[in-house]
């Protein structure tokens, strides 16, 4: 790692956020995000609308990232882009834009795996985790426990067999009439309530997750209560949110603890959009204190989707000269 003054432009468009960032020698100079409020009224991301919005946002977002960083496109050494996993139509916009820019500027193109990038968000700010560490990556589309042996060496030890943790928050929110994405709303309401209701935790493989059963049991619980009291949700909203959140956090914490013991790794990290959850952050820190494990939690701006993390991941690929070819295609199911 002897090179310096390496400027990378990173682009992220895997779901409903259009983001661009400029990274210099592994440090994020700018990280601009255009959120798409259009999906809130539909209770989830509408793929066709997402790709149209990316198309509209990408040029202004890239220009904003360059100008905020005070970097001209002629100074760039490479363009990094999310190749997957994500929504095909959304990925196409970012990948095609990055390909054209790399061709036009005659600089390397670097492809990045979105899930690896969530893990790499830990290298945006010091202190960096020491290798090897385990990362619990919890987002709207994925829930994984990843063994991270090096910047470019990751192995998935366990993952969800159905819904992701973020989906459990979002689908619960939909049932309760909350806007999308419901995770941050449930988080806020849970702080004002008590976990009075209990929901069963799934019995799945040692390091795997399942959240679809939880969704069903919440649905039946709410239906049953509404029969007896039509205003049940209204008058118990904070308590329902606290109870659901408590169950999700309990499931996640138990699994990362099992993984750390099984692999004898005393360094654990949290990543992905759900890592913004206040109860999860507290429980994770508490777990570390009780077991004397080192815990790493990213700053809020690097939890949910952002191009900063794509640039960090891209920077380490660039140092290894892991360049992508102009023939790459977006891969909605790209694996770690
Ligand atoms: O990583 P991310 O931004 O996008 C994906 O790659 O999926 O994660 C988005 C997910 C959504 O499901 C959202 O509800 C959830 O992260 N989320 C939260 C919180 N903030 C975002 N879930 C619980 N508590 C939060 N504070
Ligand atoms: Zn994500």
């Amino acid at each position: 790692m002897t090179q310096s003054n390496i400027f990378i432009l990173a682009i992220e468009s895997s779901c409903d956020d259009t983001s661009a960032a400029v990274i210099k020698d592994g440090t994020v100079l700018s990280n601009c995000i255009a959120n798409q409020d259009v999906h809130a009224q539909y209770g989830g991301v509408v793929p066709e609308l997402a790709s149209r919005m990316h198309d509209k946002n990408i040029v202004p977002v890239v220009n904003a990232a360059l100008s905020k960083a005070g970097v001209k496109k002629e100074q760039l050494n490479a363009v990094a882009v999310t190749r997957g996993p994500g929504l095909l139509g959304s990925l196409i916009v970012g990948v095609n834009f990055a390909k054209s820019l790399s061709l036009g500027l005659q600089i390397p193109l670097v492809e990045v795996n979105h899930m690896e990038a969530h893990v790499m968000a830990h290298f945006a700010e010091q202190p960096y985790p020491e290798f090897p560490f385990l990362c619990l990556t919890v987002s709207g589309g994925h829930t994984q426990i990843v063994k991270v042996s090096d910047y470019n060496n990751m192995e998935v030890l366990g993952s969800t067999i159905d819904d992701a943790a973020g989906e459990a928050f979002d689908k619960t929110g939909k049932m309760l009439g909350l806007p999308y994405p419901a995770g941050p709303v449930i988080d806020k309401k849970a702080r004002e309530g008590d976990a009075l209701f209990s929901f069963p935790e799934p019995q799945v493989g040692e390091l795997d997750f399942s959240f679809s059963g939880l969704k069903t049991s919440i649905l039946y619980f709410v239906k049953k209560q509404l029969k007896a009291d039509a205003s049940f949700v209204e008058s118990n909203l904070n308590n329902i949110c606290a109870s659901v959140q408590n169950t999700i956090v309990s499931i996640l914490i138990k699994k990362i603890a099992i993984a750390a013991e099984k692999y004898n790794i005393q360094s654990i990290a949290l990543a992905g959009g759900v890592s913004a959850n206040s109860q999860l952050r507290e429980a994770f820190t508490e777990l570390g204190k009780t077991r004397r494990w080192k815990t790493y939690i990213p700053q809020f701006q690097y939890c949910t989707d952002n191009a900063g993390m794509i640039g960090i991941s891209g920077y380490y690929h660039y140092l290894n000269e892991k360049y992508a070819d102009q023939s790459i295609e977006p891969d909605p199911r790209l694996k770690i």
Side-chain angles (χ1 to χ4, degrees), residues 248-291:
I248 297 173
V249 169
S250 163
I251 295 169
L252 294 173
I253 292 291
K254 276 181 194 153
K255 293 286 176 165
I256 187 70
I258 295 172
E261 269 166 19
K262 183 171 177 180
Y263 285 85
N264 196 22
I265 291 178
Q266 283 87 31
S267 219
I268 54 171
L270 203 54
V274 181
S275 66
N277 184 268
S278 55
Q279 191 182 346
L280 179 60
R281 292 167 87 93
E282 275 166 30
F284 201 80
T285 310
E286 196 50 44
L287 174 71
K289 275 193 194 146
T290 322
R291 307 285 178 102

Side-chain angles (χ1 to χ4, degrees), residues 18 57 65 71 119 134 257 303:
T18 319
N57 292 338
V71 171
V119 175
L134 293 185
C303 289

Side-chain angles (χ1 to χ4, degrees), residues 15 37 39 44-45 61 72 102 106 119 125 150 177 187 192 203 207 217 219 232 237 265 274 293 297-298 317:
C15 191
D37 297 335
H39 308 287
V45 177
V61 171
K72 294 195 172 18
S102 117
Q106 294 285 299
V119 175
E125 302 280 345
D150 203 347
D187 189 353
E192 310 293 321
Q203 305 297 317
L207 300 182
S217 60
L219 181 69
F232 177 77
L237 189 55
I265 291 178
V274 181
W293 294 340
I297 302 176
H317 288 321

Side-chain angles (χ1 to χ4, degrees), residues 12 14-15 85 114-115 118 137-142 272-273 303-306 309:
E12 155 64 32
S14 66
C15 191
H114 182 88
M115 298 310 293
H118 270 301
T137 313
V138 270
S139 72
H142 296 82
C303 289
T304 43
D305 290 349
N306 68 93
M309 66 183 195

Side-chain angles (χ1 to χ4, degrees), residues 148-169:
V148 188
S149 303
D150 203 347
Y151 301 105
N152 298 308
N153 186 355
M154 301 187 196
E155 183 194 350
V156 178
L157 304 179
S159 55
T160 183
I161 57 165
D162 41 57
D163 291 353
E167 254 177 305
F169 275 104

